[in-house]
Structures are given as C-alpha cells and as structure tokens.
Amino acid sequence: MISKRNKIIMYILMAVVTVLTVFPFIWMLIMSFKSNADILSNPLSMPKALNWSNYRTALKTLNYPQLYLNTFMVCVVSLVIELVITFFSSFALARMTYRHPWASKAVYGFLIAGLSVSPFILLFPVYKINLFFGLREQWALVFPYVASSIALYRCNTCVRPLKPSVVHISNRVITNFLAKEWYE
Amino acid sequence: MHWLSKTRYKVGFLVPTLAVYIVFIMLPIFIAAGYSFTKYSGIGKATFNGLSNYRRLFEDPIFWKSFWNTAIIFVLASVLLLVVSFFLALLLNNKLKFVDFSKAMVFSPAIIAPIIVGIIWVYILDPKIGVINNVLRAVGLGSWAQQWIGGPNLSPYSIAIIYFWQQLGYLTTIFIAGLKMIPEDVIEACKLDGVNGWQEVWYITIPMMRSNISTVVVLIITGIFKIFEIVQQTTGGGPNHLSETLVTYSYSMTFQSGDYGYGMSIATVTFLISLGLTGLYFLIFRDKESDR
C-alpha cells in the first residue's frame, strides 16, 4: 500500500499538474469578459462584471449554426469513410495470409511512410489535385484528411494481436477508432 | 483465415486505402518535388530552372534559421513529452480521488483546435499583455520578463512548451493504457521480492511497455512536423522570419511571397528530413515493434 506521505505528495503533484494544464482555459474565460481597452491597459485585473458584449459581437459576426453544421458534416463523413477503409485495409494487412510473406510488410511499410509527411507542406499540391478532381466544399476537406497513415498505424497495432474472431476484431477496432477520431 | 484470403478480397480491401493514399499523399509529394525545380508565381506558367531553388536554399540564412528552430523544438518537445508523460502516467495510474477528473483535464488540450491553442497562448506569452510578464512585473521580478514570443531568440522554446502542453494528455493516456496492460501477477511478484519503486519502474515497467513507448516516440516525431497553426498564431513567423520553422517557412514562401517553386523545394527538403528521421527510428528500433 502507498504510504500516507507518498499519497500526500501524489495528491499535490496531481493538483499542480491539473491546475497548470487547465489554467490557460480559465485565463481565456476570464479574458473573454473584459473589453479590449481593459485587456490592453490592465492585463492582470479581474473583469468588473460579467460583460457579455464580446459574446454578443461574436454571435452577430459569425454564422455559428452554419459553421457548426459544416464542421459536423465534415467530421461525420470523414469518420465513416475513414473507419471503413482503414478497417478493411488493416484487416487485409494484418490477418489475411499471403503467398509471399514480404508482400503485406511491403504494402504496410509503403502506407506507413506517409506518417512522416506533414500535411501543411503539401497544401499547394493537394489544392491542385482538388481542382483537378473538381472536389468542392466538404469533399475537398474530407479526402485529404482521410488519407491518414496515423489511422492505419493505430488500427494495425490493434488488429494484429487479436485472435481471428470477427466479432472481437470489429468491436475493439471500432471502439479504438471512435476514440481516436473523436480526439484528433 | 485462409478461406478469407482470396486475392480478390485482399485487393478489394486494400484498394480504397491505397487509392486515397496515393492520390492525396504520394502524388502531392511528386507534384511538390516537380514544382521545386521550377519558378512559379501562382498564375501563368511555371518555368523550369533546374537546381537553382536548391542552391538558393542552401545559402539562405532564413532557411537555416528555420532549420535550427525546428531542431530546437524537436529536441526540447520530444524529451519533455516522453519523460513527463511517462511519469505523469505512473502518477495518474494510482487510485486517488479525482484522478479521473485529472486525467480528463490533462487530456483536454489535445482536443481543441490548434489555432485556438495558439490564440490562448498568445494571451499568456505576449510580452506586453500576457499573463507571465505581467505577473512577474507585479511581484517585482520585472527583470525576468522576456520576449517569450515575437522576439528573436525565445520563440522556438515557447513553441515547444505550447506543443508540450497540447500533447501531454494524449500521450499520457496512451501510457496509462499501456500501464494497465502489465499483468497483475508480475507486479505482485516483484512486490513480494521486495523491489522498491525506482527499480520496479526501470526493470519491470519500462521493458514491458516497449511497444507503447515505441508508439509514443513515433507519434512525437511525426507530430513535431505538424506544428503549424501554433507558430502562425503566436509569431506569424517572427520578426522578419526569425521564428519560422521548416513547415511555416515553406508555407510563407509559397502562399505569402508567391514564390511557389522555392516554397516547394523547402517542402521537399522537409519531407526528406522527416522521412529520414522516421526511417531511422524504425530501423534502429525494429525489433521492439509490437508483433513483428
């Protein structure tokens, strides 16, 4: 059992880490109630009252329902497409038998090489490709996002050690996927 | 699983992923490499000019500054992330009250959009209106107030700290999951043998978590090259491109200066560097992979 002294140290550490991690959010919240002049002149002062004018301006300026709808649509479409294609290819790579054992490793290696690519350096070429295929609106966002090696890497580490039971595989992978997709 | 492995199933299952991957990752790399040998302003035609973009790149002091900035971020962020997330996982794996709340709070920075991360940290690190400098001045330690962002020197360190804040919870969660998979009997056996805390960590926990550590290192290495919005938001590339990273410099040259050919050559070099790093890691640690 953990000694009382160690337990106290652990609680303190946990509290410190949590506070340090959450502090930026809380500071943001506090700042959102101050006016521009306040922020520039007295950065450290607490807001005098719950000043909702910033929120009112934001709601007026941006079309929030449309923005949320766009985000939601892209998220759902990407999630479904990515779940399906990554699960199928992980299954093909990890569980199916091949005549040449190097075949699955070669394909896997090829796909994993994409892990090291940063999407931002490819912005211009992807733009050209989107133009070429005539992809507009959400589809222009969905497809580049779906071409993600990280998904394949995580899925593979899940699928490979599982026993060949289709039910088990699909349950584990889908849960892992929903977690990964939600947090990405 | 042999009955399921007819060739047409294998091909059918793999084709969608391969198609999307080739079109949106492989093809753009070749297009970028292709443009890197040209001079292109975004409109009109691209004129071929051979290796002059690369020659310019090697003599460009801003390119080397961005290279060093990226290197600083890489070393600082990876060491901090690897060590702190591991020990934080050890800490949060115990049964303490509010530990689940703590886990959720520590994880939360990973799920907010990176642009928002950038905006939030501007209000903390800004030399004039940020919290840190103002608190230091308020307690009389004004001489310690630095130009955390927007200055010529400290920006990469600040970016590394911001990235560390963002990814800590995510990696800690992976380690916690790995810690939970260490079988109970191993832990009990070593308690019976009288192993103390540090020995248990060094000889038992770390070796049993090899595949998790490997996953986390890969995620860190690949993640460093994806830092973009944070830099754009906090410094916009810094006073006169002094705090650019490789990725943001490529973006700046391509879209802001309209020098697409040069921007693509920086992108190609960045890609080769990141490919080399990931490849190096996989080569060195191949036998520590999960089931190979």
Side-chain angles (χ1 to χ4, degrees):
Chain A
M1 271 281 84
I2 317 172
S3 71
K4 192 75 185 284
R5 183 197 71 142
N6 280 345
K7 248 207 162 90
I8 296 182
I9 297 181
M10 279 199 256
Y11 270 109
I12 295 179
L13 275 176
M14 187 172 83
V16 167
V17 167
T18 313
V19 167
L20 281 179
T21 316
V22 170
F23 172 72
F25 292 121
I26 304 201
W27 188 247
M28 205 69 212
L29 200 60
I30 295 178
M31 297 279 270
S32 72
F33 290 118
K34 293 164 68 165
S35 66
N36 253 356
D38 254 347
I39 295 181
L40 291 172
S41 52
N42 299 335
L44 280 186
S45 66
M46 289 295 126
K48 294 186 196 66
L50 278 180
N51 179 6
W52 296 99
S53 62
N54 289 329
Y55 287 95
R56 256 180 267 136
T57 318
L59 282 171
K60 241 186 292 176
T61 321
L62 295 170
N63 186 359
Y64 271 102
Q66 182 65 41
L67 294 178
Y68 275 122
L69 187 69
N70 289 344
T71 312
F72 184 71
M73 293 295 299
V74 174
C75 181
V76 166
V77 174
S78 311
L79 182 66
V80 168
I81 298 184
E82 193 169 354
L83 260 180
V84 168
I85 68 173
T86 314
F87 171 63
F88 278 133
S89 48
S90 285
F91 187 75
L93 288 173
R95 290 253 71 97
M96 289 185 174
T97 59
Y98 289 80
R99 214 174 310 145
H100 306 281
W102 53 262
S104 77
K105 289 208 179 131
V107 176
Y108 182 62
F110 177 64
L111 288 169
I112 291 301
L115 262 185
S116 51
V117 178
S118 162
F120 298 104
I121 56 179
L122 299 177
L123 278 179
F124 175 59
V126 169
Y127 169 68
K128 283 274 176 194
I129 293 178
N130 276 341
L131 276 183
F132 175 76
F133 280 113
L135 293 173
R136 294 278 145 81
E137 298 167 14
Q138 65 196 63
W139 299 108
L141 296 173
V142 164
F143 281 105
Y145 182 67
V146 160
S148 149
S149 292
I150 296 255
L152 197 70
Y153 182 71
R154 296 292 300 273
C155 195
N156 226 301
T157 46
C158 253
V159 170
R160 207 180 265 138
L162 292 174
K163 297 219 172 55
S165 158
V166 182
V167 175
H168 285 172
I169 292 177
S170 52
N171 276 342
R172 271 287 291 273
V173 169
I174 289 180
T175 332
N176 178 59
F177 255 72
L178 284 175
K180 176 210 89 72
E181 190 71 18
W182 195 252
Y183 294 134
E184 202 133 280
Chain B
M1 295 246 97
H2 198 75
W3 63 274
L4 198 52
S5 298
K6 292 202 188 60
T7 314
R8 61 164 177 258
Y9 286 125
K10 281 191 287 238
V11 170
F13 278 21
L14 281 174
V15 158
T17 309
L18 279 174
V20 179
Y21 180 76
I22 291 180
V23 169
F24 284 100
I25 296 191
M26 284 291 126
L27 200 55
I29 294 176
F30 284 111
I31 295 181
Y35 271 104
S36 71
F37 294 115
T38 70
K39 186 174 173 59
Y40 184 49
S41 64
I43 37 175
K45 276 189 159 321
T47 50
F48 184 75
N49 64 4
L51 289 174
S52 69
N53 282 330
Y54 289 94
R55 252 177 265 135
R56 175 177 161 196
L57 192 153
F58 278 110
E59 284 157 23
D60 187 1
I62 305 180
F63 171 77
W64 291 111
K65 185 83 170 113
S66 70
F67 179 81
W68 282 117
N69 286 341
T70 314
I72 293 174
I73 298 177
F74 181 74
V75 170
L76 186 60
S78 20
V79 167
L80 273 178
L81 275 172
L82 195 57
V83 170
V84 176
S85 66
F86 184 74
F87 284 107
L88 192 60
L90 286 177
L91 173 72
L92 293 179
N93 197 27
N94 299 300
K95 288 202 230 340
L96 305 166
K97 253 191 279 200
F98 300 121
V99 82
D100 285 328
F101 175 74
S102 187
K103 277 188 227 172
M105 287 296 110
V106 169
F107 189 82
S108 53
I111 53 178
I112 59 176
I115 281 257
I116 312 286
V117 172
I119 297 179
I120 292 180
W121 279 86
V122 167
Y123 286 100
I124 297 180
L125 293 175
D126 189 283
K128 287 203 207 67
I129 62 175
V131 183
I132 296 188
N133 275 358
N134 283 294
V135 164
L136 285 176
R137 285 186 204 123
V139 297
L141 288 170
S143 55
W144 284 8
Q146 308 279 349
Q147 277 186 307
W148 309 107
I149 55 177
N153 296 320
L154 287 178
S155 294
Y157 302 95
S158 306
I159 308 287
I161 300 290
I162 301 176
Y163 185 67
F164 164 73
W165 175 83
Q166 188 188 15
Q167 297 293 331
L168 180 66
Y170 179 50
L171 300 174
T172 306
T173 308
I174 298 183
F175 274 138
I176 292 181
L179 281 174
K180 289 215 191 303
M181 293 213 295
I182 300 182
E184 282 289 313
D185 23 352
V186 173
I187 302 182
E188 289 190 10
C190 56
K191 286 259 176 354
L192 280 175
D193 283 340
V195 168
N196 73 25
W198 291 116
Q199 285 173 327
E200 181 189 342
V201 167
W202 188 253
Y203 289 111
I204 310 283
T205 319
I206 293 185
M208 296 212 84
M209 298 249 296
R210 264 203 200 121
S211 73
N212 276 80
I213 297 181
S214 171
T215 307
V216 165
V217 172
V218 170
L219 284 172
I220 294 177
I221 296 180
T222 57
I224 300 282
F225 287 96
K226 299 198 168 96
I227 301 178
F228 178 75
E229 297 100 331
I230 307 176
V231 182
Q232 288 290 94
Q233 234 359 80
T234 52
T235 64
N240 241 338
H241 297 295
L242 278 177
S243 68
E244 301 263 19
T245 60
L246 285 171
V247 177
T248 63
Y249 189 44
S250 165
Y251 177 83
S252 160
M253 280 292 117
T254 311
F255 293 105
Q256 288 169 351
S257 300
D259 203 343
Y260 286 69
Y262 188 48
M264 287 295 108
S265 63
I266 302 174
T268 315
V269 171
T270 311
F271 164 68
L272 289 172
I273 295 176
S274 58
L275 189 67
L277 278 172
T278 318
L280 202 71
Y281 175 77
F282 273 119
L283 267 172
I284 299 181
F285 294 101
R286 203 183 347 180
D287 52 344
K288 292 192 181 152
E289 275 289 288
S290 36
D291 280 319
R292 281 187 185 261

